[in-house]
Amino acid sequence: NTKAIQHNMDWIWPFWVEKQFNPADPSFIPRAFSFSHINLTHRNWTAVGLPDHDCYPIVDPRGLITPFHNGWSIDFWVLPIGGDALLPSRLSSVVQTMHMGDTLSVETRSRHSGARLSVAAALQKREDMLFLHIDVHARSETEGILVAALRPYNPEGIQFIETIQYRQSTWDWFVDNRYRVGLGRKPDRVIFSRYQNGDVLHRLYESSSKDTIRCEVGMATSAAVYQLKPHQQKWLDLRVPVHQISTIAKDTAAGWNDRLKPTAHLRVPDERIRFLYDAAVRCLVLLSAGEVVPGPFTYRRFWFRDACFMIAALLDMGMTERCRRHIVRFVDRQKPNGFFHSQAGEWDSNGQVLWIYDRFEQCSQDLLDEDVLRSVVRGVKWIENKRIPQSQTPYGGLLPAGFSAEHLGPNDHYYWDNFWSLAGLEAAVRMMRRRNKNEEADRIQALAAEYRKAIFHSIESIPEWRARGGIPAAPGRRMDAGAVGSMVADYPLNLVEAEDHRWEATLDFLLSNCFHNGAFFQDMIHSGQNAYLTLAIAQSLLRREDERFRDLVTSVADMASPTGQWPEAVHPLTGGGCMGDGQHGWAAAEWVRMIRSLFVREEGDRLVIGSGMFAEWLAANTPAFGFGPTPTLHGPIAVSVSPSESGVSVRLDSPNGTAVRGDIRIPGHVPVPLEPGKDHYELQRRQS
């Protein structure tokens, strides 16, 4: 990036470069002593795909399409004769839409100076091949040209193209002697350029004189040019073969509708909330087609942490068998010493795996196999052996210093790691008791009790001037943004009571000192607004029935891209991604879990129904709305709410007829307890 971009500003570059390298734009970043020039302002993209195939072509915010992981891209331009060129990456705005029918597609519509362009991308299956299908429509008020252009870059930067060949007999490009791009329509001419001659943009009106080019620098470009007549639409139908389907995979369902039938459905009066839920569901299913990966591009690799959060959301959606398929594979990643290893120096994974094992058994009401149980025993042993020996210091009995969750700061003895490990031990106890292995359960329970004591001794030993009534990220830390890691004991682990003043003080500190524009701003590494951590804090507020949770949910909704996606962190000025993958699976997971908690959440062994209902949903003239079915500790349940003048009617549908324990606590209404066998309740409005 450093060598290629800044010396060639007369090229057409991706959207992030056009913004970030423009001194008149708020996205501008001086390059000065920067070692590398990377996308820090608009890390946003959306993958298209099918629910059973781990191929993730991505589309950037201006319609630049990258068919292959970490590969080159295809762009489209309209150049009217005598008018300004329609170059989407240089436009101040476009309209981008995700279409969520039986095919998942992203459409980008742009217009400028009398020209219009629509580019839609989707993954399709034809017999034994997956194709990226690109549907292009262009129109100009004057005579001009439509250009399909091969670009040696993607939304992260340069990606080399060394050779391009155009085959006249089949109207396709052959890139680097490996990849084929079928144009679908014969071009009027095909132009080539190599790095030394500049961008092909500057040669579009030359006559075509050859069918191939080689660029030793790796910056070859090519343009297929189509004449446009005034007011006549030109249509292109490009197909890029992206993957040969194995014999085993040929029979998998190709469409989204069938795959999503068993998932929990959301019906609410707020169209934006519903759209974001539907998009998050598809994101999670897409990113769990092969291994569970937290992103289609930058983070297309496995981490236990992200996988466990994403599987928890898939469970909430009701995709039990999909979760089982992934969970049983965790055993193969466990080291002989019991460590569930996906990256070095991070100690939270064992607790997370044991927690999701237990969560799966609770929600599915089915026991995992003996291989998994043996891995539980090894996982417990690793936690036991990894801990520092007991002492009276603040670190006694904790895990050693580690890098932790990457967003808490430099290596330290993080409470995040220790709370996860404690939760893992308690999960292992429950798993053993389900199998009547009470002797082993008693041993682990004693270990967990001693561990809990060590953690809380450490917390209590922190001087008040550092703790300020709350819980810093680690024993030696002051209160800062890293304290968000300590909130994990509250959500999702429920290791402490909602009334615990230390967690309430931590919440108050974070809300008062670590928020920007309504969302949690993570100073550590991310240096941006974080959607999934904001939602975790919202969950803690909801647990306390603190109505401020609503503002956080709304802020996260406002942070989403037009296609309903969140990057890992959001730039506070540009509103674009500044960290990690531009479509982040953990963020999608927390949105799904947040929506579920609005309708149904667990508090210990009890269910709390409806405590997150938005006030406007409960107006007397609002149509019925609901969520479900979603698995719970008491079996699957669907919640339906019908507002009326006097209150609300609540119906609970449980396919198994399972008796439930808990309360219905809809804001502004008199709470009622759940009764075994009862599925219909009337709640009265509170008198003002």
Side-chain angles (χ1 to χ4, degrees), residues 251-462:
D251 294 331
T252 55
W256 282 92
N257 292 340
D258 287 341
R259 183 59 69 222
L260 295 180
K261 277 182 181 177
T263 60
H265 292 279
L266 174 68
R267 295 177 294 114
V268 289
D270 190 320
E271 184 64 23
R272 178 68 171 163
I273 295 290
R274 185 204 58 76
F275 167 75
L276 292 175
Y277 174 80
D278 290 344
V281 165
R282 284 158 178 79
C283 176
L284 291 169
V285 173
L286 191 67
L287 296 180
S288 61
E291 285 189 321
V292 180
V293 294
F297 189 31
T298 308
Y299 286 167
R300 191 174 169 180
R301 57 152 292 186
F302 179 86
W303 278 271
F304 275 115
R305 179 188 313 118
D306 299 80
C308 289
F309 278 110
M310 292 169 67
I311 289 171
L314 288 166
L315 270 175
D316 287 347
M317 290 157 44
M319 303 199 77
T320 306
E321 289 310 308
R322 196 178 195 86
C323 296
R324 184 196 304 275
R325 185 181 81 204
H326 290 294
I327 284 174
V328 297
R329 294 177 184 170
F330 287 178
V331 176
D332 297 332
R333 291 183 173 273
Q334 190 178 28
K335 298 291 187 181
N337 67 354
F339 181 35
F340 287 98
H341 176 251
S342 56
Q343 60 281 329
E346 301 186 15
W347 314 133
D348 52 356
S349 57
N350 273 50
Q352 288 156 354
V353 172
L354 299 181
W355 173 77
I356 200 64
Y357 279 168
D358 176 52
R359 179 77 184 163
F360 175 85
E361 291 193 346
Q362 289 176 321
C363 290
S364 68
Q365 300 183 335
D366 191 15
L367 300 184
L368 293 164
D369 62 27
E370 287 299 315
D371 284 346
V372 170
L373 191 64
R374 285 189 288 270
S375 81
V376 170
V377 174
R378 293 194 298 271
V380 167
K381 194 67 176 176
W382 182 88
I383 295 173
E384 186 175 7
N385 292 338
K386 193 69 176 177
R387 292 171 59 208
I388 296 171
Q390 289 284 2
S391 69
Q392 292 304 306
T393 71
Y395 308 102
L398 303 185
L399 292 169
F403 196 50
S404 193
E406 303 174 7
H407 51 237
L408 302 179
N411 279 24
D412 212 332
H413 302 264
Y414 287 111
Y415 290 124
W416 166 278
D417 296 329
N418 288 280
F419 282 133
W420 272 114
S421 294
L422 174 59
L425 295 182
E426 295 187 353
V429 171
R430 291 188 291 270
M431 293 183 72
M432 293 300 167
R433 296 228 184 271
R434 285 189 205 108
R435 293 163 173 82
N436 295 317
K437 295 181 178 291
N438 291 318
E439 185 175 342
E440 180 68 4
D442 289 343
R443 188 191 74 80
I444 300 173
Q445 190 164 19
L447 176 64
E450 181 265 324
Y451 194 4
R452 179 183 282 266
K453 183 177 179 181
I455 294 172
F456 281 85
H457 172 266
S458 175
I459 292 171
E460 289 160 4
S461 70
I462 301 172

Side-chain angles (χ1 to χ4, degrees), residues 15 18 45 174 187 258 298 306 342 460 499 541 543 552 589 623 681:
F15 175 61
E18 298 289 352
W45 43 80
F174 199 48
D258 287 341
T298 308
D306 299 80
S342 56
E460 289 160 4
E499 297 78 15
L541 291 172
R543 192 179 178 211
L552 274 58
Y681 299 84

Side-chain angles (χ1 to χ4, degrees), residues 542-583:
L542 178 59
R543 192 179 178 211
R544 290 156 178 79
E545 299 187 7
D546 185 325
E547 62 184 17
R548 289 178 293 177
F549 85 88
R550 158 74 186 273
D551 296 333
L552 274 58
V553 173
T554 302
S555 292
V556 172
D558 292 341
M559 289 162 57
S561 74
T563 58
Q565 313 300 323
W566 293 273
E568 183 168 27
V570 173
H571 193 294
L573 297 179
T574 71
C578 63
M579 164 74 182
D581 212 298
Q583 180 178 3

Side-chain angles (χ1 to χ4, degrees), residues 645-662:
E645 291 290 345
S646 59
V648 294
S649 297
V650 178
R651 180 172 292 279
L652 305 179
D653 292 322
S654 180
N656 297 341
T658 307
V660 294
R661 300 177 59 212

Side-chain angles (χ1 to χ4, degrees), residues 101-120:
D102 205 33
T103 299
L104 190 68
S105 68
V106 173
E107 180 185 11
T108 308
R109 300 191 303 276
S110 51
R111 57 191 304 173
H112 181 69
S113 187
R116 298 185 181 187
L117 177 66
S118 170
V119 179

